[in-house]
């Protein structure tokens, strides 16, 4: 999919650029883009390293475990009916805590583990269950508390206050996650009404 | 002194002190975490070079600006900055592509401008949706993800609208 995207963007760029006489700019873009990418990584890699270090201490000293306990009541609200003592619920809580701290390295394996535990608990099926969908949207919405990469990039471009966006980021994260969760519940609700109607129709036959 | 400027130092202080209190080898743990993330940074570099090539060509050809001015009547009606639409479209597909676009936006407009702020909030509050879903369900026997993708994309769309809304509400534009 990403190959098609790459091909499409380059094709569009060449056609549009040549038609509008922007060949020089296009040529320069090809030559300098690699340098821009390297500079971008050099800009963010330092703060990534700093946060990686700090967050590792948070993880080893048990701060993330404390947060895992702290967020369990909220997760109970999202994953209705899921046994809070189950391995699946524990894995979901650990995955969410890692996401909050921006521990990408730790969050993905924990999330995959949570997905497998859900599969074990709810039986292997060819389709996604409601809890699986909820876990997925919990991860497609970014809930990272401190958006360090963005803040670093803002500072590098001369922002007076790179973290002023923090309240906006938190509000948008929470509300967009809520939107996704409500969508999962709404679609699920519509589906079960449909199934119920089908059953009723069969009964009446 | 801003509140947001206090949070970060306090967080670092608290974490290090708590680590010492819990008898964690704070120094070596820090090194371990730092090394992990440096490797991640170099891991994404090849992908970033590829996407930066595409995005830079798109910008240099003038096609990105054309797209922006084409959609600006619709987006200005909704109160969204047209310059952020390519970013919103790229975000769920490619993290490196989105980062490349943000880099361009912050170079062209100030990070403290309306456009710069909305773009920052958008990138900070969303994820690479398609990739995440592929990775998570790829580990299971699930073939049909049912309404996972529509629900996730609804959240991404909400995030775009809300980014503009919160920036205007909280930061006054």
């Amino acid at each position: 999919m990403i190959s098609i995207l790459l091909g499409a963007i380059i094709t569009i760029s060449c056609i549009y650029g040549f038609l509008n006489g922007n060949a020089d700019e296009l040529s320069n873009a090809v030559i300098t883009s690699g340098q821009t990418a390297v500079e971008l990584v050099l800009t963010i890699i330092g703060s990534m390293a700093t946060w990686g270090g700090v967050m590792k201490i948070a993880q080893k000293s048990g701060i993330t475990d404390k947060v895992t306990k702290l967020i369990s009541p909220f997760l109970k609200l999202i994953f209705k009916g899921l046994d809070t003592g189950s391995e699946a619920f524990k894995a979901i809580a650990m995955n969410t805590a890692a996401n909050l701290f921006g521990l990408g390295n730790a969050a993905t394996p924990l999330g995959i583990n949570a997905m497998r535990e859900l599969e074990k608990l709810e039986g292997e099926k060819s389709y996604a269950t409601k809890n699986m969908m909820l876990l997925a949207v919990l991860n497609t919405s970014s809930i990272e508390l401190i958006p360090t990469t963005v803040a670093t990039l803002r500072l590098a471009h001369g922002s007076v206050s790179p973290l002023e966006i923090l309240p906006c980021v938190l509000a948008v994260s929470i509300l967009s996650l809520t939107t996704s969760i409500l969508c999962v519940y709404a679609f699920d609700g519509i589906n079960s009404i449909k199934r119920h109607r089908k059953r009723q129709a069969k009964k009446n036959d | 002194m801003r509140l947001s400027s206090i949070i970060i130092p306090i967080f670092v202080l608290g974490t290090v002190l708590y680590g010492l209190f819990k008898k964690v080898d704070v120094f070596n743990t820090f090194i371990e975490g730092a090394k992990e993330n440096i490797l991640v940074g170099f891991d994404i570099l090849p992908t970033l070079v590829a996407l930066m090539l595409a995005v830079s060509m798109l910008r240099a050809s003038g096609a990105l600006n054309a797209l922006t001015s084409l959609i600006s009547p619709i987006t200005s009606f909704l109160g969204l900055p047209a310059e952020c639409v390519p970013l919103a479209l790229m975000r769920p597909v490619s993290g490196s592509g989105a980062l490349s676009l943000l880099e361009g936006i912050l170079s062209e407009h100030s990070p403290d401008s309306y456009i710069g702020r909305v773009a920052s909030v958008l990138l900070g509050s969303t994820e690479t949706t398609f990739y995440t879903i592929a990775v998570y369900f790829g580990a299971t026997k699930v073939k049909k993800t049912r309404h996972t993708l529509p629900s996730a994309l609804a959240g991404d769309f909400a995030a775009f609208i809300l980014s503009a809304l919160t920036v205007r509400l909280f930061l006054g534009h």
Side-chain angles (χ1 to χ4, degrees), chain A residues 102-124:
Chain A
L103 291 160
N105 285 339
T108 310
L110 285 171
I112 289 172
N113 182 33
M115 205 53 116
R116 290 213 176 112
E117 288 295 338
L118 274 178
E119 196 175 33
K120 249 190 248 168
L121 194 70
E122 301 181 321
E124 277 181 15

Side-chain angles (χ1 to χ4, degrees), chain A residues 13 16 22 48 53 56 60 66 105 116 119 124 126 128 133 139-140 154 157 159-160 164 172 176 180, chain B residues 18 30 32 36-37 58 61 66 107 111-112 117 120 125 127 136 139 141 143-144 146-148 151 155:
Chain A
S13 306
Y16 192 90
N22 291 334
M48 278 174 72
K56 200 74 178 181
K60 281 229 173 127
K66 285 229 161 67
N105 285 339
R116 290 213 176 112
E119 196 175 33
E124 277 181 15
S126 63
M133 290 189 276
N139 279 280
T140 61
R154 288 171 58 77
H157 283 282
S159 173
V160 182
E164 66 180 359
V172 174
S176 64
S180 291
Chain B
Y18 190 74
F30 186 97
E32 191 188 325
E36 244 175 52
N37 270 13
L58 196 66
S61 70
S107 310
D112 297 325
R117 281 170 168 168
S120 306
S125 58
E127 259 292 336
Y136 276 52
K141 293 208 162 54
K143 294 276 178 298
K144 284 186 196 134
R146 291 170 67 209
H147 33 269
T148 310
S151 304

Side-chain angles (χ1 to χ4, degrees), chain B residues 48-114:
Chain B
L48 195 63
V49 170
L51 269 306
M52 188 65 86
L53 170 70
V55 167
S56 298
M57 286 179 78
L58 196 66
R59 180 171 292 109
S61 70
L64 197 63
N65 275 335
L67 174 77
T68 306
S69 41
L70 192 73
I71 49 179
S72 67
I74 310 165
T75 50
S76 66
F77 176 73
L78 294 168
L80 304 169
E83 288 80 356
C84 296
V85 172
L87 181 66
L89 292 175
M90 181 66 92
R91 184 57 177 141
V93 186
S94 164
S96 292
L99 203 58
S100 303
L101 281 168
L102 179 71
E103 164 73 22
I105 290 173
L106 294 184
S107 310
E108 224 168 290
H109 312 272
S110 153
D112 297 325
S113 67
Y114 178 54

